[in-house]
Amino acid sequence: MPAAEESYGINKVVDNICRISPDLLADVCQHVLTYLQGQKRGVDSAEISDRFQRAEVRLDHEALQDMIRFLLLTFRSAGKSNISGDELVSKLEEGSTKWTKASLQVLHKLWSEYGVSVHTQQEAQAMLSIGQLVDMQWKLGMAVSSDTCRSLNSPFVCLLLKIVEPSGQICQRSFEMTIPQFQNFYKQFKEMAAVMETV
Amino acid sequence: MAEVDATKSLSSLLNGIAQKVYYNNSEITEELLKSELYPEMSPDEFTALHDKMKGLLKSIATADMDHAQLEAFLTAKTKKQGGGGLSAEQAAALSRFWKSQRVRVKESLVAHSRWEPSLRGLSWRVDLQAAASRRGTAHSGPVALVELELGRTGQDSEFVCLEFDETKVNQVLKKMADIQESIDRIVHST
């Protein structure tokens, strides 16, 4: 949810939202929600701008962008927290006193209808998330002895991967390989490099 | 005939014990082994036999005995009189069993002492990124997608999906070459 210290900015955005007709607001929200459900590749602000012009509503470019950004953030975070329409309205009211009943009603109605679908899409996307390797550390160890085997004498390779996810979060993953496993791993990467060169 | 049967039963008993203790086969129980292999034996007698064999197997596995060590160990046991002793047939069965199962038992022990996730699988493909732009960076050229399957012993796998450009792949290859170098140094010196 937008932070409290930006309350001037928020109040301005909320003000603008509440000035436009419920129908127009519903349209804009619909646009954003369709994108968040994964049915569209992005939010086309040019399209929204046209819609506003046809409705003869004058709103400067920056104000429109702020509005879209606000709605995206609001719906996105509502989806992540998986909240209901009622909870959404409470949260919005907490964030600004400028809300009108009519606008809140539009948001409530649309979120009640599409909120679950947005949340599901976010979950699905999290599963498909492809990270990038930031750093790789390694160690070569020898398992000497354990309580079930006094002489393990088992060498192993341990890798620690630092991965940045699409969200920007960095996480760490570590895993162990036996020597033969490592050598297969190495071989696979060499094959990959060879293919990349020829592509 | 009876001797062959006795040997077979003992070998099967040893295999059964290994299944339960080392190969995580939860279907094998002491009762099952008794009813399948020694139905005529009294329960007490069977328990004594089972426990003795299990104890011997554990000693052998814990020390990861090689051939010489095993022979010395078994010879000492056969020389012993009374309950702690072994018959020549029993010693032979144990020797045969360890010869064939040593590697597998050892692998099971190593896996048990591994507490980090292990690499269960690796798959990859190379895509050609035709258009730009992810996060604003122009990205044309081959992109490798790698899926690592990681999992701890007895737990479900987790999949980690990563993408690499050529530069990154080469960086990783360099590190792997370093690892290989270390392995060569150590393995050759042992």
Side-chain angles (χ1 to χ4, degrees):
Chain A
M1 292 279 144
E5 53 267 21
E6 298 167 338
S7 63
Y8 170 67
I10 289 182
N11 282 332
K12 201 150 171 299
V13 174
V14 172
D15 214 29
N16 285 333
I17 291 179
C18 295
R19 277 174 204 266
I20 63 180
S21 75
D23 282 341
L24 189 53
L25 177 60
D27 269 0
V28 182
C29 290
Q30 191 76 274
H31 203 111
V32 171
L33 288 167
T34 306
Y35 160 67
L36 288 175
Q37 288 172 83
Q39 292 158 14
K40 259 222 283 260
R41 291 194 145 266
V43 176
D44 191 344
S45 49
E47 219 181 283
I48 298 179
S49 181
D50 280 347
R51 178 75 183 82
F52 270 52
Q53 283 195 346
R54 284 199 303 275
E56 286 170 20
V57 174
R58 308 201 114 247
L59 196 62
D60 73 56
H61 180 73
E62 205 180 307
L64 180 62
Q65 296 288 36
D66 284 344
M67 191 186 292
I68 295 174
R69 216 172 290 138
F70 176 85
L71 290 171
L72 259 174
L73 188 60
T74 301
F75 288 137
R76 207 176 243 146
S77 104
K80 277 216 137 73
S81 323
N82 202 15
I83 57 179
S84 68
D86 290 339
E87 286 169 305
L88 175 65
V89 168
S90 314
K91 275 200 134 71
L92 289 172
E93 284 177 321
E94 269 173 49
S96 169
T97 51
K98 292 261 175 174
W99 288 103
T100 60
K101 247 194 155 40
S103 307
L104 286 176
Q105 242 165 10
V106 171
L107 294 171
H108 182 277
K109 178 165 175 288
L110 287 171
W111 187 249
S112 302
E113 212 180 319
Y114 298 110
V116 174
S117 180
V118 167
H119 176 74
T120 309
Q121 175 66 11
Q122 285 170 331
E123 300 265 278
Q125 276 186 332
M127 300 201 80
L128 296 173
S129 88
I130 298 176
Q132 293 192 340
L133 190 66
V134 171
D135 186 34
M136 179 175 112
Q137 290 174 32
W138 59 269
K139 80 177 175 220
L140 177 62
M142 177 78 92
V144 172
S145 186
S146 81
D147 61 338
T148 48
C149 186
R150 293 288 178 261
S151 67
L152 279 172
N153 289 328
S154 170
F156 63 91
V157 175
C158 194
L159 292 186
L160 176 65
L161 307 178
K162 260 208 189 118
I163 298 165
V164 61
E165 289 170 359
S167 64
Q169 267 190 314
I170 295 190
C171 72
Q172 288 187 343
R173 297 295 218 141
S174 67
F175 60 94
E176 267 184 39
M177 291 178 274
T178 61
I179 302 297
Q181 274 179 327
F182 164 73
Q183 282 167 338
N184 179 47
F185 192 63
Y186 190 9
K187 183 166 147 247
Q188 299 283 332
F189 262 79
K190 282 194 236 185
E191 273 177 37
M192 228 162 69
V195 169
M196 285 172 100
E197 247 179 83
T198 62
V199 148
Chain B
M1 243 10 252
E3 235 182 74
V4 176
D5 284 343
T7 312
K8 254 184 81 187
S9 300
L10 189 60
S11 295
S12 301
L13 177 62
L14 291 171
N15 272 311
I17 294 173
Q19 286 286 332
K20 182 158 172 286
V21 175
Y22 297 111
Y23 307 153
N24 293 317
N25 188 342
S26 50
E27 289 174 8
I28 308 284
T29 61
E30 210 180 306
E31 296 76 31
L32 181 69
L33 290 172
K34 181 182 184 313
S35 62
E36 293 281 307
L37 304 170
Y38 295 92
E40 315 285 291
M41 212 184 251
S42 80
D44 284 345
E45 236 189 301
F46 177 73
T47 301
L49 177 65
H50 175 273
D51 290 350
K52 180 153 117 185
M53 289 299 129
K54 185 165 152 189
L56 288 168
L57 249 184
K58 278 196 161 174
S59 299
I60 297 169
T62 303
D64 189 30
M65 291 184 192
D66 62 23
H67 180 74
Q69 289 167 325
L70 182 66
E71 291 308 307
F73 178 73
L74 292 175
T75 307
K77 289 285 175 182
T78 51
K79 291 221 162 80
K80 231 171 150 192
Q81 305 292 0
L86 271 184
S87 72
E89 294 79 30
Q90 287 174 328
L94 275 163
S95 179
R96 260 194 322 271
F97 173 83
W98 189 239
K99 275 198 177 75
S100 85
Q101 295 297 300
R102 182 186 180 190
V103 171
R104 199 173 159 198
V105 168
K106 177 75 180 295
E107 271 172 13
S108 148
L109 287 170
V110 168
H112 255 103
S113 64
R114 182 181 301 151
W115 299 316
E116 292 281 331
S118 64
L119 183 67
R120 286 185 179 163
L122 166 70
S123 38
W124 58 269
R125 75 162 198 260
V126 174
D127 285 352
L128 190 57
Q129 197 120 302
S133 103
R134 230 187 125 201
R135 292 181 220 144
T137 54
H139 209 355
S140 67
V143 170
L145 288 165
V146 176
E147 188 186 70
L148 302 169
E149 186 184 351
L150 306 177
R152 291 194 163 85
T153 321
Q155 288 182 9
D156 286 340
S157 293
E158 272 185 83
F159 291 87
V160 178
C161 212
L162 299 171
E163 68 170 30
F164 297 81
D165 59 19
E166 265 191 287
T167 313
K168 216 14 37 89
V169 171
N170 287 324
Q171 283 172 3
V172 170
L173 280 175
K174 167 95 194 21
K175 295 221 169 182
M176 293 200 181
D178 292 342
I179 300 175
Q180 185 63 57
E181 212 184 324
S182 278
I183 293 175
D184 292 338
R185 260 204 319 263
I186 295 180
V187 169
H188 280 134
S189 63
T190 50

